[in-house]
Each structure stands twice: as C-alpha cells, then as structure tokens.
Amino acid sequence: MPGTADQIDDHMLVASFRDEKLKETAFTQLVRKYQERLYWHIRRMVVEHEDANDILQNVFIKVWNNLGQFRSESNLYTWLYRIGTNETLTWIEQQKRRASVSLSGDNEEMFSERLAAQKDFDSSKIEWKLQQAIHALPEKQRIVFNLRYYDEMPYEEMSNVLDTSVGALKASYHHAVKKVEAFLVGN
Amino acid sequence: MKRVNEVTEELESMGSILAGMSHTMPFSLPAGYFEQNSVDLAGRIFVGQPVAAGDLRDTISTLELHSRAMPHAVPEGYFQQLASSALAAAIADPVFTAPKTLPYGVPAGYFDSLPQQVLNTVRQPLQSGVASKPITTKRIPLPPAFTQVRWAVAAVLLVCITLGGYISFFSGGQTGTESELASVTKEELQDYLQHSYVMDVNRIVYTNDINQLEVDTKDIEQYLNETGWDIVD
C-alpha cells in the first residue's frame, strides 16, 4: 500500500504525464511501478495469463487516455485498482454471457477448468486448493477476499476501490473467510 | 508490517484457520538467554533509579515462591512436549503451509517488456493518424457581390422575424381556436348539443339498469319538457 513518499511520487508522475515532453517516460515509470500489483490482482480473478495480460493492457490504455484528467487529490493507487477491478468484472460478465449462449457450462465450472489446466496444477497441494476455494466464491466476494488477504488493503482504501461501505466490506470478507474455510475443511 | 498484523489479527478474531500461517522468527538466540539475563533486563527497566542487584534478585525470587505456583495438576512432561506437538499439529494443518504466493507462472521477461508493449499499443492510433488528425473545416469562397449584400440580407431577415413575433404575441387578436368557435352559428351549436344529449341518454339507458339510476322526478320532468314529451298527471 502506498505511503506518503509513494503518494508524492505518484503526484510527480501525474504532473510529469501532463507535460508532453515527459509524458511517455512518466507513463513507462507508472506502468513499471504498478504492473505487478495490478497483474496479480487481475490474474487471481481470471486465472489465465493471456486473459490477465489482455485486461491489464486495456487497463493501462485507459490510464493513458484518462490520466491527464485524473484529479490529484484522490489516490492514484486506488484509482488504478478501481480501473483494474472494473475491467476484470466486465471481462467476467462477457465470459458468463458467452458461456450461457454457447451452453458450454456455468461460470464456476469454467474457472475450475481453467485452474486445472494451469501448469504444475496439483489438486492435492494446499496452494491450489486455496485457489479452488477462492474461485468458488461469488466475484465481488472473491475480489474483497483477494484485496484483503493477498494485497492486505485497508478497508478504507477498499471502500474507494469498490465503492462500497466499510461495514459491508467487513461483512463480505467475513463471509468469504468462512466459505473458504468450509471448502478447505470439506475437501 | 502493521497491516500484515491487522489482517492476521482480524483472521484470529474470526477464529479462522487462515490465521494459522507461520509467525515464528528465524533469528537465533544464545541458549538460556532470557533465564540468565532476567535480572539484568529487570534492572534496565529502572533506568536512572539505583537498585542494588542483590535486592532485585531477592524480590524476584520471593515473588516466584509465593505467587506463581498454580493448584492445577498437569501431566508430567506436558510443557516440554507441547511446543513440538503443537508445531507438528500446525504443520499437519494444510492451511499452515499455505503460502500467500500464488502458484501461477508468468512468461519470462513479461514484466520487463510490458511497459513497451503498452506504449506501442497507445501509440498506434497516433501513428495511424486517426486520433491526431485535426478536424478541419472547408471554407467556401463567396462571390464579392454576395459578401457586400449579406449584411443587408441579414438585416431584412431580422426585421421579418421581429415583426412576425410582434404580430403573433402582441397584436391582441383572437387565437385560432377562439376565432373558429366565434364563426359557429347558434343553431349549429343547439343541434350539436341536442344530438349529444340524446346520444348520452341513449347510452345510459342501454348500458345501465334504469331502475338503479338515482334520477330525481324533477330531473325527469325537465328532461321530458326539453325533449317535447307531454307530461300526463
């Protein structure tokens, strides 16, 4: 999570981006700074690298197009996560629609198949079981769980990313933890 | 670091097994360090207060003798084995060994090349000229005579629009509907009303039970007078 120095860096990046001469350099720095965090945020949701890459590129294209109008009083880090989350949820909705049209199966099955198709997948290993448990959660609950458990994001920041109250997020995380536990114990 | 603790504490407060991640420190300490240095450590707490080492040692030993003994019985060797058995149980718990790192792989050099890839993608519309091409307007040259009279044409149009507005809104004349009604003769209106009235009565009679209509006798007499019926006593 960004500290004060990080936020100053972000302000500098945004200011540099608004300068035509520095725009590309600032953008490259911004991508380098946030690419891994955003990548894993997306990858944890969509599983496949190719899909995560496509979504991430779309996220950065949106950042390129809108960073000039970004209001510096809000947190750049939160703004990026918000774009990443929205793009990911949109992609999942598209996949759901395709699945319902082609009658190829439901959404949960799709993700469990994707997990099973991953290199080095081993259903007996705890890290893969945990992923299976997480993918059995509804999308928004999964995002809340991932942001809290893996990214260790404070609820206040999560509230800005997901546009949901802190209380609702706490309740959602609590339910998610119980479901993950139940899955791990049951499997 | 604080945030990690927050997340773990939160999981613990939920009583979740997910909190059971390894929290042991990897650093080593000299054997018996805490036992042997207890007096020294206690002495450091009272910095600036001269306390004799002998007095402090006596105080600690007295407290240990009188207050630490518990009345409950514990199986022999329980505490010696507790740490190892708890550790074994925790390791056997699958969640204990679950790392927060993800099992997914990423192509080699992916993150190094990503900024350039994105930059190339956002540059494409600029290079193809789609986004950067300015929108231009074509100027149509007018004959010199037209340019001279265009102000006169504009003035005439303005006067026409103003006059039209004045006649419509401020002339005080009747509106279209009122003038149309004024032209209708009295006979035509009477015919229309009588016809409508008859039609209305017919509709009432045919569609309702006449006995259920709450019609006053005076109303009936008035109706019969108006429609030319003779009233028989």
Side-chain angles (χ1 to χ4, degrees), chain B residues 14-35:
Chain B
M14 291 179 202
S16 172
I17 53 173
L18 291 171
M21 308 292 269
S22 174
H23 286 216
T24 50
M25 297 291 283
F27 309 117
S28 59
L29 285 172
Y33 172 78
F34 288 113
E35 287 77 10

Side-chain angles (χ1 to χ4, degrees), chain B residues 129-138:
Chain B
V130 174
S132 61
K133 191 177 177 183
I135 298 165
T136 54
T137 49
K138 192 178 178 184

Side-chain angles (χ1 to χ4, degrees), chain B residues 94-106:
Chain B
V95 180
F96 181 82
T97 54
K100 282 198 174 183
T101 51
L102 290 160
Y104 310 127
V106 182

